[in-house]
Amino acid sequence: MSEITDKTTGLQSENLYNQISLILKEARSKVAVTVNTAMVQAYWHIGKLIVDAQGGEAKAKYGNGLIDEISRRLTAEFGRGFKRSNLRDMRKFYQTFPIYQTLSGKLSWSHYLTLIRVSNPKAREYYVEEAAKGGWSVRQLERQIETQYYERLLASHRDEAEVKEIMAKNRPVNPEKFDPLRLVHDPFVLEFLDMKEDPALQEKELESAILTHIEDFLLELGRGFAFVGRQKRFTLEGDHFYPDLVFYNIPARCYVIIDLKMAKAGYADVGQMQLYVNYFNREVCTADDNPTVGIILCAEKNDTVIEYTLGNRNDIGVFASKYKLILPTEEELKREIEQTKENFKRLKE
């Protein structure tokens, strides 16, 4: 009986090996410019073959002896890249993305290795879409996942259906449906600035660091932002005013002003930002623009003071968000996200 089992296993191993070998040879024969896509597709097919050979989804976690044998033979013929852990990654890749047509030609195998470790399917779908449309590098993708960008996005007023709508539509927003909250999240994680949290830190230093890392800051802001300028001076009856950073969100068709505050944001900061927003709405915006959004990016804030200062949020586009210069721990970030959910619930009431 053992001899029959050994023969069956041997035939199964030989058959699986021949199929995988054929896939790899075909993939490697393609021109260099399509190697990345070809290898992603090849690894998906290899993962499927392994799952099928191990008895389907229900039994795919078993049969590691089969993977050991295939790994040994593939390494001998094709070289590095076919260790047992690599083959298990290919198996997980197929299990995570079982529909072949959903694979993106814009994402590399390294992208997918990062994505298969995202346990939340809806978060994973978001990262796939955004990485492909935004041309994210693997480092950028890893950074967004590590800082729980999707969860921070959800915390800021939106439910999963709204996030999906944002992903699907990259066209101008209808003025009647314009919601400034769609452009705001809290907290902003600015660990890429590589700055220590220092009481002596000046706003100009923070501003300069952001401009030095503007590509990373645009990634943190979200899709569709374009940098307009810093310290965009305007004058009212001889008094000069200097908004720190001005952006334009193309899909939302609106200006976004960001003012940096190293200390706790208070009612005076809200009043100043409201002045900036009002000026842009009257003097800068065209008839095709939606109302300007103002974000006070601060070290700390008093949500109750800000809420009472602003009054009716339905008519105002001023918000305060905290920034973090050091990447919070997972638990700290979860607490921040839960607090943001509570704050944004109040804004909707």
Side-chain angles (χ1 to χ4, degrees), residues 241-281:
F241 300 91
Y242 302 86
D244 290 335
L245 301 168
V246 179
F247 299 85
Y248 192 85
N249 186 273
I250 297 168
R253 289 191 316 199
C254 72
Y255 287 95
V256 178
I257 302 172
I258 294 181
D259 233 23
L260 306 172
K261 299 297 173 186
M262 306 308 299
K264 181 183 288 188
Y267 64 88
D269 302 311
V270 175
Q272 177 176 267
M273 178 57 78
Q274 190 60 62
L275 170 67
Y276 295 165
V277 167
N278 289 343
Y279 176 83
F280 267 70
N281 285 340

Side-chain angles (χ1 to χ4, degrees), residues 7-23:
K7 285 183 178 179
T8 301
T9 302
L11 288 171
Q12 186 184 40
S13 174
E14 184 68 20
N15 183 45
L16 178 59
Y17 178 83
N18 288 336
Q19 291 181 73
I20 292 176
S21 178
L22 179 61
I23 288 172

Side-chain angles (χ1 to χ4, degrees), residues 180 234 236 241 243 257-259 261 266-283 291-296 306-320:
F234 64 89
L236 297 175
F241 300 91
I257 302 172
I258 294 181
D259 233 23
K261 299 297 173 186
Y267 64 88
D269 302 311
V270 175
Q272 177 176 267
M273 178 57 78
Q274 190 60 62
L275 170 67
Y276 295 165
V277 167
N278 289 343
Y279 176 83
F280 267 70
N281 285 340
R282 295 181 188 178
E283 306 296 337
T292 303
V293 175
I295 301 174
I296 304 166
I306 292 170
E307 187 175 344
Y308 272 93
T309 303
L310 291 173
N312 184 0
R313 284 274 191 168
N314 293 327
D315 301 325
I316 293 175
V318 175
F319 306 90

Side-chain angles (χ1 to χ4, degrees), residues 193 207-216:
L193 299 180
E207 181 183 311
S208 295
I210 288 174
L211 292 175
T212 300
H213 298 84
I214 191 64
E215 184 178 353
D216 292 312

Side-chain angles (χ1 to χ4, degrees), residues 79-183:
R80 299 172 57 187
F82 297 99
K83 295 186 298 184
R84 288 172 295 175
S85 59
N86 297 131
L87 293 177
R88 284 195 288 268
D89 281 336
M90 294 175 200
R91 181 177 64 187
K92 187 174 182 181
F93 177 41
Y94 167 73
Q95 292 170 317
T96 307
F97 297 92
I99 302 175
Y100 179 76
Q101 289 76 12
T102 63
L103 300 182
S104 171
K106 297 181 179 180
L107 302 182
S108 68
W109 174 237
S110 296
H111 283 96
Y112 279 112
L113 278 178
T114 302
L115 289 163
I116 62 177
R117 289 164 175 77
V118 178
S119 59
N120 182 342
K122 291 179 179 177
R124 188 169 57 245
E125 180 186 1
Y126 170 80
Y127 291 125
V128 169
E129 290 282 339
E130 292 299 293
K133 290 180 179 177
W136 292 356
S137 66
V138 175
R139 183 189 67 81
Q140 289 174 320
L141 174 62
E142 290 173 341
R143 187 265 172 190
Q144 296 299 76
I145 293 171
E146 187 178 6
T147 61
Q148 300 183 42
Y149 192 88
Y150 176 78
E151 287 75 13
R152 288 188 285 139
L153 199 63
L154 276 183
S156 303
H157 169 76
R158 298 163 218 146
D159 58 26
E160 287 165 343
E162 286 180 299
V163 172
K164 197 159 187 175
E165 182 183 359
I166 293 170
M167 289 163 50
K169 297 178 181 178
N170 199 21
R171 57 177 180 267
V173 178
N174 187 310
E176 285 74 25
K177 296 183 178 180
F178 176 70
D179 181 359
L181 281 170
R182 287 176 179 262
L183 302 178

